[in-house]
Amino acid sequence: MVACLAMLACSPGRETGNWNPEIKVQSSPAGSPSAEPHLFTDSSGIVFLSWVEKRGDSAWLKYSTVEGDRWSTPRVIAQGNTWFVNWADYPMVTSNGKGSLMAHVLGKSGKGTYAYDVKMYTSVDDGSNWSVPFILHDDGKQAEHGFVTMIPYGDQVFVTWLDGRNTAMEGMEGMDHDGHHGSMSLRAAVIGYDGVKTEEWELDDKTCDCCQTTAAITDSGPVVIYRDRTDEEIRDMSIVRLVDGSWTKPMPIHNDNWKIGGCPVNGPRVASAGNQLVVAWFSAANDTSQVLVAFSGDGGATFGKPIRVDEGNAIGRVDVVLLEKGEAVVSWMEGVMIKAARVYADGRESPSITIASSSESRSSGFPQMTRAGDTLIVAWTDDQAKQIKIARVSL
């Protein structure tokens, strides 16, 4: 009986009817070369696409919004020649749906390869003007700070990130990953659009070094999901929740028991509505690459059995969008193909669809997905054209 239950837990979910959406490739507002896309839909339904354009030593963070079926003329948030531009640690823009915006980039803080800060920018006039940058963290260490998640939280913004202040050693700050003398930590803060930080916490004092974080606001409060790290090098997904003013201890989403001696650079993604959560993540425990999805109906206190959606050749790079109660769309990369499937909390799933062909190289980045009414908007970096591509997928 135990063996049969284990097989059921690890097998792909039961299939439901075919999902045969119309997929339309759109003209991209991003120039060439461009990379590091990020998509976000605010509370008023406006879709934001941000990206980085880089020429020589200079980089620009730009964004555009959807106007009907077209993208607006790109706007520049910031420009710099000392940025740390990374394929997996992309900048992003968030909005409260009322004209206030926040964005971030990574800026070098010293000569070390991994010495960089999180620089924040705010706008209170629909992006017409942006503040001078301010540093998210106040440790003053020349160390790694990044893999930021930003989401609206009331009249402010909830921010979480990986913080390397404990890894830096006097005189050796930011040199390389092998020079770590402490552990990467997970932190979070609440920041106003005026740049004032009202709260800050350390959520976990030992995490995986360079997997993206993800967060959501439930009816019970903020939750953060991330790749944790034990002393035995088990690197599975954990969740922490702010409940009645205090953060819970880290709890595993599921015990994959993936033991790996280095960071796989493959973070989770979460979507929420009320107290319903859906989390997607990548694991290669027991040398089996998998994309898994789990639902929670109680704000992340408990999760159902993971549903496997990949086809046996997954490399991860996941995203997820919650549709209706108990239904979501998950995207991932299956080799060079960008795939997506509808998945349900009861274990059902549709056969996967192929959105586009990409590349397994780092420069192809992490495909992004967001909902816009009755369509999904998907963005990815075309490694050959060196430009961000966009598609609309009907729901």
PDB file of all heavy atoms in Angstrom, residues 89 106 116 118 136-137 143-149 160-165 184-188 204 206-213 224-228 263:
ATOM      1  N   ASP A  89      18.561  37.079 -12.074  1.00  0.00           N
ATOM      2  CA  ASP A  89      18.203  38.027 -11.011  1.00  0.00           C
ATOM      3  C   ASP A  89      17.738  39.319 -11.668  1.00  0.00           C
ATOM      4  O   ASP A  89      18.452  40.319 -11.705  1.00  0.00           O
ATOM      5  CB  ASP A  89      19.418  38.261 -10.108  1.00  0.00           C
ATOM      6  CG  ASP A  89      19.038  38.906  -8.787  1.00  0.00           C
ATOM      7  OD1 ASP A  89      17.854  39.236  -8.614  1.00  0.00           O
ATOM      8  OD2 ASP A  89      19.932  39.079  -7.945  1.00  0.00           O
ATOM      9  N   LEU A 106      20.021  46.143  -9.584  1.00  0.00           N
ATOM     10  CA  LEU A 106      21.170  45.759  -8.773  1.00  0.00           C
ATOM     11  C   LEU A 106      22.357  46.622  -9.168  1.00  0.00           C
ATOM     12  O   LEU A 106      22.680  46.733 -10.350  1.00  0.00           O
ATOM     13  CB  LEU A 106      21.508  44.272  -8.988  1.00  0.00           C
ATOM     14  CG  LEU A 106      20.360  43.283  -8.733  1.00  0.00           C
ATOM     15  CD1 LEU A 106      20.819  41.853  -9.019  1.00  0.00           C
ATOM     16  CD2 LEU A 106      19.837  43.406  -7.310  1.00  0.00           C
ATOM     17  N   TYR A 116      27.130  43.669  -4.578  1.00  0.00           N
ATOM     18  CA  TYR A 116      26.139  44.553  -5.190  1.00  0.00           C
ATOM     19  C   TYR A 116      24.958  44.751  -4.251  1.00  0.00           C
ATOM     20  O   TYR A 116      24.650  43.922  -3.403  1.00  0.00           O
ATOM     21  CB  TYR A 116      25.674  44.042  -6.546  1.00  0.00           C
ATOM     22  CG  TYR A 116      25.203  42.619  -6.580  1.00  0.00           C
ATOM     23  CD1 TYR A 116      23.881  42.277  -6.304  1.00  0.00           C
ATOM     24  CD2 TYR A 116      26.083  41.589  -6.914  1.00  0.00           C
ATOM     25  CE1 TYR A 116      23.445  40.974  -6.354  1.00  0.00           C
ATOM     26  CE2 TYR A 116      25.666  40.277  -6.971  1.00  0.00           C
ATOM     27  CZ  TYR A 116      24.345  39.977  -6.690  1.00  0.00           C
ATOM     28  OH  TYR A 116      23.922  38.670  -6.732  1.00  0.00           O
ATOM     29  N   VAL A 118      20.782  46.325  -3.704  1.00  0.00           N
ATOM     30  CA  VAL A 118      19.475  46.492  -4.333  1.00  0.00           C
ATOM     31  C   VAL A 118      19.126  47.974  -4.287  1.00  0.00           C
ATOM     32  O   VAL A 118      18.935  48.549  -3.214  1.00  0.00           O
ATOM     33  CB  VAL A 118      18.393  45.673  -3.614  1.00  0.00           C
ATOM     34  CG1 VAL A 118      17.032  45.896  -4.283  1.00  0.00           C
ATOM     35  CG2 VAL A 118      18.749  44.192  -3.606  1.00  0.00           C
ATOM     36  N   LEU A 136      17.877  49.326  -0.538  1.00  0.00           N
ATOM     37  CA  LEU A 136      16.847  48.582   0.181  1.00  0.00           C
ATOM     38  C   LEU A 136      17.305  48.177   1.582  1.00  0.00           C
ATOM     39  O   LEU A 136      16.557  48.290   2.548  1.00  0.00           O
ATOM     40  CB  LEU A 136      16.481  47.330  -0.632  1.00  0.00           C
ATOM     41  CG  LEU A 136      15.611  46.265   0.045  1.00  0.00           C
ATOM     42  CD1 LEU A 136      14.251  46.843   0.424  1.00  0.00           C
ATOM     43  CD2 LEU A 136      15.452  45.057  -0.869  1.00  0.00           C
ATOM     44  N   HIS A 137      18.516  47.703   1.694  1.00  0.00           N
ATOM     45  CA  HIS A 137      19.045  47.152   2.948  1.00  0.00           C
ATOM     46  C   HIS A 137      20.011  48.162   3.561  1.00  0.00           C
ATOM     47  O   HIS A 137      20.543  49.038   2.882  1.00  0.00           O
ATOM     48  CB  HIS A 137      19.768  45.829   2.664  1.00  0.00           C
ATOM     49  CG  HIS A 137      20.602  45.900   1.417  1.00  0.00           C
ATOM     50  ND1 HIS A 137      21.926  46.302   1.419  1.00  0.00           N
ATOM     51  CD2 HIS A 137      20.273  45.698   0.119  1.00  0.00           C
ATOM     52  CE1 HIS A 137      22.375  46.310   0.181  1.00  0.00           C
ATOM     53  NE2 HIS A 137      21.401  45.943  -0.638  1.00  0.00           N
ATOM     54  N   ALA A 143      28.471  42.782  -0.270  1.00  0.00           N
ATOM     55  CA  ALA A 143      28.063  41.384  -0.374  1.00  0.00           C
ATOM     56  C   ALA A 143      26.909  41.277  -1.358  1.00  0.00           C
ATOM     57  O   ALA A 143      26.442  42.280  -1.908  1.00  0.00           O
ATOM     58  CB  ALA A 143      27.658  40.857   1.005  1.00  0.00           C
ATOM     59  N   GLU A 144      26.463  40.060  -1.579  1.00  0.00           N
ATOM     60  CA  GLU A 144      25.341  39.832  -2.480  1.00  0.00           C
ATOM     61  C   GLU A 144      24.024  40.260  -1.833  1.00  0.00           C
ATOM     62  O   GLU A 144      23.758  39.928  -0.678  1.00  0.00           O
ATOM     63  CB  GLU A 144      25.240  38.349  -2.841  1.00  0.00           C
ATOM     64  CG  GLU A 144      26.402  37.818  -3.640  1.00  0.00           C
ATOM     65  CD  GLU A 144      26.249  36.329  -3.872  1.00  0.00           C
ATOM     66  OE1 GLU A 144      25.459  35.954  -4.769  1.00  0.00           O
ATOM     67  OE2 GLU A 144      26.903  35.543  -3.178  1.00  0.00           O
ATOM     68  N   HIS A 145      23.224  40.970  -2.600  1.00  0.00           N
ATOM     69  CA  HIS A 145      21.860  41.309  -2.204  1.00  0.00           C
ATOM     70  C   HIS A 145      21.024  41.263  -3.479  1.00  0.00           C
ATOM     71  O   HIS A 145      21.338  41.985  -4.437  1.00  0.00           O
ATOM     72  CB  HIS A 145      21.767  42.707  -1.600  1.00  0.00           C
ATOM     73  CG  HIS A 145      22.702  42.963  -0.452  1.00  0.00           C
ATOM     74  ND1 HIS A 145      24.009  43.357  -0.638  1.00  0.00           N
ATOM     75  CD2 HIS A 145      22.507  42.892   0.886  1.00  0.00           C
ATOM     76  CE1 HIS A 145      24.580  43.519   0.549  1.00  0.00           C
ATOM     77  NE2 HIS A 145      23.695  43.245   1.489  1.00  0.00           N
ATOM     78  N   GLY A 146      20.019  40.430  -3.509  1.00  0.00           N
ATOM     79  CA  GLY A 146      19.248  40.359  -4.751  1.00  0.00           C
ATOM     80  C   GLY A 146      18.115  39.365  -4.685  1.00  0.00           C
ATOM     81  O   GLY A 146      17.625  39.032  -3.615  1.00  0.00           O
ATOM     82  N   PHE A 147      17.694  38.894  -5.862  1.00  0.00           N
ATOM     83  CA  PHE A 147      16.563  37.985  -6.009  1.00  0.00           C
ATOM     84  C   PHE A 147      15.352  38.535  -5.252  1.00  0.00           C
ATOM     85  O   PHE A 147      14.777  37.897  -4.378  1.00  0.00           O
ATOM     86  CB  PHE A 147      16.951  36.576  -5.563  1.00  0.00           C
ATOM     87  CG  PHE A 147      18.022  35.990  -6.442  1.00  0.00           C
ATOM     88  CD1 PHE A 147      19.354  36.015  -6.044  1.00  0.00           C
ATOM     89  CD2 PHE A 147      17.701  35.469  -7.682  1.00  0.00           C
ATOM     90  CE1 PHE A 147      20.347  35.506  -6.869  1.00  0.00           C
ATOM     91  CE2 PHE A 147      18.692  34.951  -8.514  1.00  0.00           C
ATOM     92  CZ  PHE A 147      20.021  34.973  -8.101  1.00  0.00           C
ATOM     93  N   VAL A 148      15.001  39.750  -5.648  1.00  0.00           N
ATOM     94  CA  VAL A 148      13.957  40.534  -4.984  1.00  0.00           C
ATOM     95  C   VAL A 148      12.574  40.152  -5.506  1.00  0.00           C
ATOM     96  O   VAL A 148      12.396  39.857  -6.690  1.00  0.00           O
ATOM     97  CB  VAL A 148      14.206  42.035  -5.218  1.00  0.00           C
ATOM     98  CG1 VAL A 148      13.089  42.884  -4.627  1.00  0.00           C
ATOM     99  CG2 VAL A 148      15.558  42.441  -4.644  1.00  0.00           C
ATOM    100  N   THR A 149      11.600  40.172  -4.615  1.00  0.00           N
ATOM    101  CA  THR A 149      10.188  40.125  -4.982  1.00  0.00           C
ATOM    102  C   THR A 149       9.512  41.340  -4.378  1.00  0.00           C
ATOM    103  O   THR A 149       9.722  41.655  -3.207  1.00  0.00           O
ATOM    104  CB  THR A 149       9.513  38.849  -4.461  1.00  0.00           C
ATOM    105  OG1 THR A 149      10.107  37.716  -5.081  1.00  0.00           O
ATOM    106  CG2 THR A 149       8.023  38.852  -4.777  1.00  0.00           C
ATOM    107  N   THR A 160      10.741  41.251  -0.434  1.00  0.00           N
ATOM    108  CA  THR A 160      11.573  40.205   0.159  1.00  0.00           C
ATOM    109  C   THR A 160      12.767  39.962  -0.744  1.00  0.00           C
ATOM    110  O   THR A 160      12.686  40.177  -1.963  1.00  0.00           O
ATOM    111  CB  THR A 160      10.765  38.913   0.400  1.00  0.00           C
ATOM    112  OG1 THR A 160      11.560  37.971   1.121  1.00  0.00           O
ATOM    113  CG2 THR A 160      10.310  38.280  -0.903  1.00  0.00           C
ATOM    114  N   TRP A 161      13.884  39.531  -0.149  1.00  0.00           N
ATOM    115  CA  TRP A 161      15.111  39.365  -0.937  1.00  0.00           C
ATOM    116  C   TRP A 161      16.078  38.420  -0.231  1.00  0.00           C
ATOM    117  O   TRP A 161      15.937  38.129   0.958  1.00  0.00           O
ATOM    118  CB  TRP A 161      15.768  40.721  -1.182  1.00  0.00           C
ATOM    119  CG  TRP A 161      16.417  41.364   0.016  1.00  0.00           C
ATOM    120  CD1 TRP A 161      17.736  41.325   0.361  1.00  0.00           C
ATOM    121  CD2 TRP A 161      15.772  42.164   1.033  1.00  0.00           C
ATOM    122  NE1 TRP A 161      17.962  42.038   1.520  1.00  0.00           N
ATOM    123  CE2 TRP A 161      16.775  42.564   1.955  1.00  0.00           C
ATOM    124  CE3 TRP A 161      14.463  42.569   1.253  1.00  0.00           C
ATOM    125  CZ2 TRP A 161      16.491  43.352   3.069  1.00  0.00           C
ATOM    126  CZ3 TRP A 161      14.180  43.342   2.369  1.00  0.00           C
ATOM    127  CH2 TRP A 161      15.175  43.731   3.257  1.00  0.00           C
ATOM    128  N   LEU A 162      17.075  37.950  -0.995  1.00  0.00           N
ATOM    129  CA  LEU A 162      18.179  37.193  -0.428  1.00  0.00           C
ATOM    130  C   LEU A 162      19.282  38.165  -0.050  1.00  0.00           C
ATOM    131  O   LEU A 162      19.642  39.050  -0.832  1.00  0.00           O
ATOM    132  CB  LEU A 162      18.708  36.160  -1.431  1.00  0.00           C
ATOM    133  CG  LEU A 162      17.748  35.044  -1.830  1.00  0.00           C
ATOM    134  CD1 LEU A 162      18.462  34.035  -2.734  1.00  0.00           C
ATOM    135  CD2 LEU A 162      17.142  34.349  -0.619  1.00  0.00           C
ATOM    136  N   ASP A 163      19.826  37.986   1.163  1.00  0.00           N
ATOM    137  CA  ASP A 163      20.765  38.951   1.727  1.00  0.00           C
ATOM    138  C   ASP A 163      22.050  38.239   2.148  1.00  0.00           C
ATOM    139  O   ASP A 163      22.026  37.281   2.906  1.00  0.00           O
ATOM    140  CB  ASP A 163      20.110  39.634   2.937  1.00  0.00           C
ATOM    141  CG  ASP A 163      20.863  40.854   3.408  1.00  0.00           C
ATOM    142  OD1 ASP A 163      21.996  40.675   3.903  1.00  0.00           O
ATOM    143  OD2 ASP A 163      20.336  41.972   3.277  1.00  0.00           O
ATOM    144  N   GLY A 164      23.190  38.735   1.647  1.00  0.00           N
ATOM    145  CA  GLY A 164      24.477  38.092   1.901  1.00  0.00           C
ATOM    146  C   GLY A 164      25.311  38.754   2.969  1.00  0.00           C
ATOM    147  O   GLY A 164      26.526  38.508   3.028  1.00  0.00           O
ATOM    148  N   ARG A 165      24.701  39.565   3.820  1.00  0.00           N
ATOM    149  CA  ARG A 165      25.483  40.284   4.826  1.00  0.00           C
ATOM    150  C   ARG A 165      26.259  39.328   5.734  1.00  0.00           C
ATOM    151  O   ARG A 165      27.346  39.677   6.222  1.00  0.00           O
ATOM    152  CB  ARG A 165      24.578  41.195   5.649  1.00  0.00           C
ATOM    153  CG  ARG A 165      23.593  40.481   6.541  1.00  0.00           C
ATOM    154  CD  ARG A 165      22.685  41.457   7.269  1.00  0.00           C
ATOM    155  NE  ARG A 165      21.809  42.171   6.322  1.00  0.00           N
ATOM    156  CZ  ARG A 165      21.034  43.193   6.675  1.00  0.00           C
ATOM    157  NH1 ARG A 165      21.026  43.616   7.931  1.00  0.00           N
ATOM    158  NH2 ARG A 165      20.272  43.784   5.782  1.00  0.00           N
ATOM    159  N   MET A 184      23.677  32.594   3.229  1.00  0.00           N
ATOM    160  CA  MET A 184      22.729  33.542   2.673  1.00  0.00           C
ATOM    161  C   MET A 184      21.468  33.516   3.531  1.00  0.00           C
ATOM    162  O   MET A 184      21.053  32.462   4.017  1.00  0.00           O
ATOM    163  CB  MET A 184      22.390  33.168   1.236  1.00  0.00           C
ATOM    164  CG  MET A 184      21.584  34.210   0.491  1.00  0.00           C
ATOM    165  SD  MET A 184      22.544  35.705   0.150  1.00  0.00           S
ATOM    166  CE  MET A 184      23.591  35.114  -1.182  1.00  0.00           C
ATOM    167  N   SER A 185      20.882  34.692   3.748  1.00  0.00           N
ATOM    168  CA  SER A 185      19.665  34.772   4.554  1.00  0.00           C
ATOM    169  C   SER A 185      18.522  35.345   3.726  1.00  0.00           C
ATOM    170  O   SER A 185      18.735  35.939   2.665  1.00  0.00           O
ATOM    171  CB  SER A 185      19.889  35.637   5.799  1.00  0.00           C
ATOM    172  OG  SER A 185      20.226  36.965   5.440  1.00  0.00           O
ATOM    173  N   LEU A 186      17.315  35.150   4.241  1.00  0.00           N
ATOM    174  CA  LEU A 186      16.111  35.684   3.618  1.00  0.00           C
ATOM    175  C   LEU A 186      15.572  36.793   4.496  1.00  0.00           C
ATOM    176  O   LEU A 186      15.383  36.606   5.701  1.00  0.00           O
ATOM    177  CB  LEU A 186      15.071  34.574   3.470  1.00  0.00           C
ATOM    178  CG  LEU A 186      13.703  34.982   2.905  1.00  0.00           C
ATOM    179  CD1 LEU A 186      13.804  35.267   1.417  1.00  0.00           C
ATOM    180  CD2 LEU A 186      12.668  33.873   3.168  1.00  0.00           C
ATOM    181  N   ARG A 187      15.322  37.962   3.902  1.00  0.00           N
ATOM    182  CA  ARG A 187      14.809  39.099   4.647  1.00  0.00           C
ATOM    183  C   ARG A 187      13.573  39.657   3.939  1.00  0.00           C
ATOM    184  O   ARG A 187      13.321  39.367   2.758  1.00  0.00           O
ATOM    185  CB  ARG A 187      15.876  40.194   4.789  1.00  0.00           C
ATOM    186  CG  ARG A 187      17.121  39.731   5.527  1.00  0.00           C
ATOM    187  CD  ARG A 187      18.093  40.871   5.760  1.00  0.00           C
ATOM    188  NE  ARG A 187      17.623  41.801   6.775  1.00  0.00           N
ATOM    189  CZ  ARG A 187      17.837  41.648   8.080  1.00  0.00           C
ATOM    190  NH1 ARG A 187      18.501  40.590   8.539  1.00  0.00           N
ATOM    191  NH2 ARG A 187      17.399  42.546   8.944  1.00  0.00           N
ATOM    192  N   ALA A 188      12.832  40.481   4.666  1.00  0.00           N
ATOM    193  CA  ALA A 188      11.662  41.133   4.097  1.00  0.00           C
ATOM    194  C   ALA A 188      11.483  42.491   4.751  1.00  0.00           C
ATOM    195  O   ALA A 188      11.984  42.743   5.855  1.00  0.00           O
ATOM    196  CB  ALA A 188      10.409  40.283   4.299  1.00  0.00           C
ATOM    197  N   ASP A 204      14.729  33.863   7.535  1.00  0.00           N
ATOM    198  CA  ASP A 204      15.447  32.593   7.595  1.00  0.00           C
ATOM    199  C   ASP A 204      16.929  32.915   7.507  1.00  0.00           C
ATOM    200  O   ASP A 204      17.342  33.678   6.626  1.00  0.00           O
ATOM    201  CB  ASP A 204      15.022  31.677   6.444  1.00  0.00           C
ATOM    202  CG  ASP A 204      15.495  30.233   6.623  1.00  0.00           C
ATOM    203  OD1 ASP A 204      16.533  30.022   7.277  1.00  0.00           O
ATOM    204  OD2 ASP A 204      14.831  29.321   6.093  1.00  0.00           O
ATOM    205  N   LYS A 206      19.415  30.821   6.874  1.00  0.00           N
ATOM    206  CA  LYS A 206      20.199  29.961   5.989  1.00  0.00           C
ATOM    207  C   LYS A 206      19.327  29.488   4.833  1.00  0.00           C
ATOM    208  O   LYS A 206      18.409  28.687   5.022  1.00  0.00           O
ATOM    209  CB  LYS A 206      20.763  28.759   6.734  1.00  0.00           C
ATOM    210  CG  LYS A 206      21.710  27.903   5.876  1.00  0.00           C
ATOM    211  CD  LYS A 206      22.380  26.821   6.694  1.00  0.00           C
ATOM    212  CE  LYS A 206      23.398  26.062   5.834  1.00  0.00           C
ATOM    213  NZ  LYS A 206      24.137  25.040   6.621  1.00  0.00           N
ATOM    214  N   THR A 207      19.625  29.992   3.634  1.00  0.00           N
ATOM    215  CA  THR A 207      18.848  29.642   2.451  1.00  0.00           C
ATOM    216  C   THR A 207      19.788  29.295   1.306  1.00  0.00           C
ATOM    217  O   THR A 207      21.000  29.495   1.379  1.00  0.00           O
ATOM    218  CB  THR A 207      17.963  30.820   1.999  1.00  0.00           C
ATOM    219  OG1 THR A 207      18.791  31.847   1.437  1.00  0.00           O
ATOM    220  CG2 THR A 207      17.165  31.393   3.163  1.00  0.00           C
ATOM    221  N   CYS A 208      19.203  28.782   0.231  1.00  0.00           N
ATOM    222  CA  CYS A 208      19.957  28.575  -1.005  1.00  0.00           C
ATOM    223  C   CYS A 208      20.430  29.935  -1.512  1.00  0.00           C
ATOM    224  O   CYS A 208      19.782  30.959  -1.299  1.00  0.00           O
ATOM    225  CB  CYS A 208      19.069  27.882  -2.025  1.00  0.00           C
ATOM    226  SG  CYS A 208      19.962  27.060  -3.364  1.00  0.00           S
ATOM    227  N   ASP A 209      21.572  29.951  -2.185  1.00  0.00           N
ATOM    228  CA  ASP A 209      22.259  31.210  -2.472  1.00  0.00           C
ATOM    229  C   ASP A 209      21.651  32.059  -3.572  1.00  0.00           C
ATOM    230  O   ASP A 209      21.714  33.290  -3.508  1.00  0.00           O
ATOM    231  CB  ASP A 209      23.720  30.928  -2.855  1.00  0.00           C
ATOM    232  CG  ASP A 209      24.503  30.321  -1.712  1.00  0.00           C
ATOM    233  OD1 ASP A 209      24.398  30.849  -0.602  1.00  0.00           O
ATOM    234  OD2 ASP A 209      25.212  29.329  -1.943  1.00  0.00           O
ATOM    235  N   CYS A 210      21.102  31.435  -4.623  1.00  0.00           N
ATOM    236  CA  CYS A 210      20.748  32.254  -5.794  1.00  0.00           C
ATOM    237  C   CYS A 210      19.548  31.706  -6.557  1.00  0.00           C
ATOM    238  O   CYS A 210      19.561  31.661  -7.785  1.00  0.00           O
ATOM    239  CB  CYS A 210      21.949  32.425  -6.724  1.00  0.00           C
ATOM    240  SG  CYS A 210      22.900  30.917  -7.011  1.00  0.00           S
ATOM    241  N   CYS A 211      18.528  31.285  -5.829  1.00  0.00           N
ATOM    242  CA  CYS A 211      17.244  30.962  -6.435  1.00  0.00           C
ATOM    243  C   CYS A 211      16.273  32.108  -6.171  1.00  0.00           C
ATOM    244  O   CYS A 211      16.259  32.681  -5.079  1.00  0.00           O
ATOM    245  CB  CYS A 211      16.677  29.668  -5.853  1.00  0.00           C
ATOM    246  SG  CYS A 211      17.432  28.167  -6.510  1.00  0.00           S
ATOM    247  N   GLN A 212      15.441  32.423  -7.156  1.00  0.00           N
ATOM    248  CA  GLN A 212      14.500  33.520  -6.997  1.00  0.00           C
ATOM    249  C   GLN A 212      13.563  33.277  -5.803  1.00  0.00           C
ATOM    250  O   GLN A 212      13.194  32.142  -5.502  1.00  0.00           O
ATOM    251  CB  GLN A 212      13.640  33.681  -8.259  1.00  0.00           C
ATOM    252  CG  GLN A 212      14.396  34.086  -9.496  1.00  0.00           C
ATOM    253  CD  GLN A 212      14.921  32.881 -10.246  1.00  0.00           C
ATOM    254  OE1 GLN A 212      14.724  31.743  -9.848  1.00  0.00           O
ATOM    255  NE2 GLN A 212      15.593  33.129 -11.355  1.00  0.00           N
ATOM    256  N   THR A 213      13.200  34.355  -5.146  1.00  0.00           N
ATOM    257  CA  THR A 213      12.166  34.322  -4.121  1.00  0.00           C
ATOM    258  C   THR A 213      10.815  34.588  -4.778  1.00  0.00           C
ATOM    259  O   THR A 213      10.740  35.054  -5.914  1.00  0.00           O
ATOM    260  CB  THR A 213      12.411  35.385  -3.051  1.00  0.00           C
ATOM    261  OG1 THR A 213      12.359  36.694  -3.678  1.00  0.00           O
ATOM    262  CG2 THR A 213      13.778  35.198  -2.394  1.00  0.00           C
ATOM    263  N   VAL A 224       5.972  34.120   2.041  1.00  0.00           N
ATOM    264  CA  VAL A 224       7.157  34.081   1.190  1.00  0.00           C
ATOM    265  C   VAL A 224       7.532  32.620   0.970  1.00  0.00           C
ATOM    266  O   VAL A 224       7.581  31.833   1.923  1.00  0.00           O
ATOM    267  CB  VAL A 224       8.345  34.835   1.820  1.00  0.00           C
ATOM    268  CG1 VAL A 224       9.571  34.758   0.908  1.00  0.00           C
ATOM    269  CG2 VAL A 224       7.976  36.292   2.095  1.00  0.00           C
ATOM    270  N   ILE A 225       7.779  32.251  -0.288  1.00  0.00           N
ATOM    271  CA  ILE A 225       8.227  30.907  -0.643  1.00  0.00           C
ATOM    272  C   ILE A 225       9.600  31.034  -1.280  1.00  0.00           C
ATOM    273  O   ILE A 225       9.841  31.947  -2.085  1.00  0.00           O
ATOM    274  CB  ILE A 225       7.236  30.216  -1.594  1.00  0.00           C
ATOM    275  CG1 ILE A 225       5.879  30.029  -0.902  1.00  0.00           C
ATOM    276  CG2 ILE A 225       7.751  28.862  -2.023  1.00  0.00           C
ATOM    277  CD1 ILE A 225       4.872  31.079  -1.210  1.00  0.00           C
ATOM    278  N   TYR A 226      10.494  30.115  -0.953  1.00  0.00           N
ATOM    279  CA  TYR A 226      11.886  30.209  -1.391  1.00  0.00           C
ATOM    280  C   TYR A 226      12.538  28.836  -1.299  1.00  0.00           C
ATOM    281  O   TYR A 226      11.980  27.913  -0.690  1.00  0.00           O
ATOM    282  CB  TYR A 226      12.649  31.203  -0.504  1.00  0.00           C
ATOM    283  CG  TYR A 226      12.646  30.804   0.959  1.00  0.00           C
ATOM    284  CD1 TYR A 226      13.754  30.218   1.543  1.00  0.00           C
ATOM    285  CD2 TYR A 226      11.501  31.002   1.754  1.00  0.00           C
ATOM    286  CE1 TYR A 226      13.737  29.826   2.884  1.00  0.00           C
ATOM    287  CE2 TYR A 226      11.478  30.629   3.088  1.00  0.00           C
ATOM    288  CZ  TYR A 226      12.592  30.032   3.644  1.00  0.00           C
ATOM    289  OH  TYR A 226      12.572  29.635   4.958  1.00  0.00           O
ATOM    290  N   ARG A 227      13.716  28.697  -1.909  1.00  0.00           N
ATOM    291  CA  ARG A 227      14.456  27.450  -1.802  1.00  0.00           C
ATOM    292  C   ARG A 227      15.309  27.502  -0.539  1.00  0.00           C
ATOM    293  O   ARG A 227      16.226  28.315  -0.424  1.00  0.00           O
ATOM    294  CB  ARG A 227      15.327  27.195  -3.037  1.00  0.00           C
ATOM    295  CG  ARG A 227      15.891  25.765  -3.055  1.00  0.00           C
ATOM    296  CD  ARG A 227      16.698  25.484  -4.330  1.00  0.00           C
ATOM    297  NE  ARG A 227      15.889  25.495  -5.525  1.00  0.00           N
ATOM    298  CZ  ARG A 227      15.119  24.505  -5.950  1.00  0.00           C
ATOM    299  NH1 ARG A 227      15.023  23.395  -5.222  1.00  0.00           N
ATOM    300  NH2 ARG A 227      14.425  24.603  -7.069  1.00  0.00           N
ATOM    301  N   ASP A 228      15.000  26.617   0.378  1.00  0.00           N
ATOM    302  CA  ASP A 228      15.679  26.570   1.661  1.00  0.00           C
ATOM    303  C   ASP A 228      16.972  25.753   1.543  1.00  0.00           C
ATOM    304  O   ASP A 228      17.279  25.177   0.479  1.00  0.00           O
ATOM    305  CB  ASP A 228      14.747  25.966   2.706  1.00  0.00           C
ATOM    306  CG  ASP A 228      14.951  26.549   4.098  1.00  0.00           C
ATOM    307  OD1 ASP A 228      16.039  27.103   4.346  1.00  0.00           O
ATOM    308  OD2 ASP A 228      14.031  26.440   4.924  1.00  0.00           O
ATOM    309  N   CYS A 263      23.805  25.767  -5.695  1.00  0.00           N
ATOM    310  CA  CYS A 263      22.490  26.342  -6.005  1.00  0.00           C
ATOM    311  C   CYS A 263      22.083  25.998  -7.441  1.00  0.00           C
ATOM    312  O   CYS A 263      22.862  26.210  -8.374  1.00  0.00           O
ATOM    313  CB  CYS A 263      22.539  27.859  -5.832  1.00  0.00           C
ATOM    314  SG  CYS A 263      20.958  28.657  -6.191  1.00  0.00           S
TER     315      CYS A 263
END
